[in-house]
């Protein structure tokens, strides 16, 4: 059972979705919450003289503003957590955002981050740099929350037989039991024999649950696209999958099914480690 969760916020509207989702998720799991907001060094320390003869603006006013904003973000989150019924403490940290979140998250079991972040309107990619850094660097399970995600509906468990997906199966069982939601198990079935073996394995992992377990298979298309399509079709509230697939080196350097699902899913994605 997940007993401690770190929820990161930057105070933005995009982060507010992660705050709400994370606080409700923690309350439903009866988990203790630590809310953190990071004042980034690159902004707090201001600009330096670069030899062009133009004096940089003073750093102190910006540093004071950023600290005050981070404190206000933590107060807002604490209010949301309290309203959701979650036990919560908050901290303002300083440094490189993803590094500090990963470091502080080492003492928790799950890290929750918003997918989009404060500068989503100016970003050309599909996932914020802080969220991307956290899910790449952390050794903990991570829950990535898109802006409009809601904690309501079935759980999609994407199972490929990897160690991460086996851990995901155990987490899905715990979460489904607490939420009272059914689990839909997705297996890529281009290889029929392997698909049958994976369904048999996952049946053993989920055991006898007090909630329904349904099976989904796909013979066509990319697995990441089919996972997201399946989540949309059943109006899922959460996708659970391994952070890495069966080829971890390829996943890290070339992009994996899990990375693609995180980028495109309208549903929150829990990456199990």
């Amino acid at each position: 059972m997940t007993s401690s969760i770190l929820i990161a916020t930057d105070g933005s509207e995009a982060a507010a979705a992660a705050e709400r989702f994370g606080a409700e998720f923690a309350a439903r799991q009866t988990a203790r919450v630590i809310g953190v907001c990071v004042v980034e060094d690159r902004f707090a320390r201001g600009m330096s003289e670069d030899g062009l003869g133009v004096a940089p603006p003073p750093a102190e006013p910006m540093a004071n503003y950023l600290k005050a904003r981070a404190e206000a973000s933590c107060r807002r989150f604490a209010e949301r957590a309290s309203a959701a019924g979650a036990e919560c403490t908050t901290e303002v940290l300083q440094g490189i955002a993803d590094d500090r979140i990963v470091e502080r998250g080492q003492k928790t079991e799950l890290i929750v981050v918003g997918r989009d972040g404060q500068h989503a309107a100016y970003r050309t990619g599909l996932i914020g740099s802080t969220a991307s850094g956290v899910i790449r660097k952390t050794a903990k399970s991570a829950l990535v929350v898109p802006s409009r995600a809601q904690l309501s509906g079935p759980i999609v468990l994407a199972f490929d037989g990897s160690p991460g997906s086996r851990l995901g199966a155990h987490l899905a069982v715990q979460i489904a039991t607490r939420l009272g939601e059914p689990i839909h198990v997705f297996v890529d079935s281009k290889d029929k024999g392997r698909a049958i073996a994976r369904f048999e394995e996952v049946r053993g992992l989920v055991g006898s649950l007090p909630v329904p377990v349904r099976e989904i298979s796909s013979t066509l298309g990319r697995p990441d696209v089919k996972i997201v399509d399946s989540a949309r079709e059943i109006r899922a509230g959460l996708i659970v999958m391994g952070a890495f697939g069966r080829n971890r080196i390829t996943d890290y350097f070339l992009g994996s099914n899990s990375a693609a699902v995180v980028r495109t899913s309208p549903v929150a994605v829990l990456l199990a480690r």
Side-chain angles (χ1 to χ4, degrees):
M1 183 181 300
T2 302
S3 61
S4 58
I5 299 174
L6 182 145
I7 302 175
T9 182
D10 60 13
S12 65
E13 275 304 306
E19 294 178 21
R20 288 189 291 267
F21 192 103
E24 183 181 354
F25 182 85
R28 301 280 290 277
Q29 302 297 310
T30 63
R32 178 176 51 85
V33 175
I34 301 170
V36 302
C37 186
V38 181
V39 177
E40 294 208 58
D41 279 343
R42 57 181 173 148
F43 300 127
R45 293 180 179 176
M47 301 178 181
S48 58
E49 171 59 48
D50 54 11
L52 294 175
V54 179
E60 186 176 356
M62 177 57 74
N64 291 339
Y65 163 76
L66 292 172
K67 182 180 179 183
R69 188 179 182 283
E71 291 170 346
S73 299
C74 284
R75 286 195 297 272
R76 182 184 74 178
F77 173 68
E79 291 170 359
R80 284 188 167 140
S82 177
E87 178 187 348
C88 174
T89 60
T90 61
E91 299 176 16
V92 174
L93 308 175
Q94 184 163 337
I96 299 171
D98 54 352
D99 286 344
R100 294 309 311 273
I101 292 167
V102 169
E103 177 186 311
R104 187 63 184 86
Q106 288 177 354
K107 296 182 180 179
T108 64
E109 295 170 79
L110 176 68
I111 296 176
V112 180
V113 292
R115 186 181 67 188
D116 304 309
Q118 186 175 359
H119 304 292
Y122 307 101
R123 196 179 65 244
T124 56
L126 294 176
I127 181 171
S129 59
T130 297
S132 179
V134 168
I135 62 177
R136 287 294 185 189
K137 296 175 182 179
T138 185
K140 300 291 185 177
S141 295
L143 178 58
V144 185
V145 184
S147 293
R148 298 181 181 179
Q150 300 290 328
L151 185 60
S152 175
I155 296 167
V156 172
L157 168 62
F159 189 80
D160 64 2
S162 65
S165 70
R166 293 187 184 104
L167 178 57
H170 290 295
L171 288 173
V173 167
Q174 295 173 15
I175 295 166
T177 301
R178 287 283 185 176
L179 298 182
E181 296 285 2
I183 296 176
H184 292 243
V185 180
F186 175 92
V187 167
D188 183 33
S189 57
K190 294 183 182 67
D191 183 325
K192 186 175 181 180
R194 182 178 294 177
I196 291 171
R198 287 178 181 168
F199 275 129
E200 289 177 352
E201 181 180 4
V202 82
R203 288 179 200 126
L205 291 171
V206 300
S208 55
L209 278 173
V211 296
V213 178
R214 299 183 175 93
E215 296 176 355
I216 309 169
S217 63
S218 173
T219 58
L220 298 172
R222 287 167 33 194
D224 59 292
V225 174
K226 302 305 291 184
I227 291 167
V228 173
D229 286 348
S230 297
R232 284 196 180 101
E233 288 170 9
I234 67 171
R235 298 184 179 181
L238 182 66
I239 296 171
V240 180
M241 61 192 307
F244 297 96
R246 300 180 68 84
N247 187 340
R248 183 164 179 158
I249 294 176
T250 299
D251 286 347
Y252 188 89
F253 288 106
L254 301 181
S256 62
N257 286 325
S258 57
V261 170
V262 166
R263 286 196 302 270
T264 59
S265 175
V267 175
V269 181
L270 195 159
L271 302 175
R273 286 181 171 91

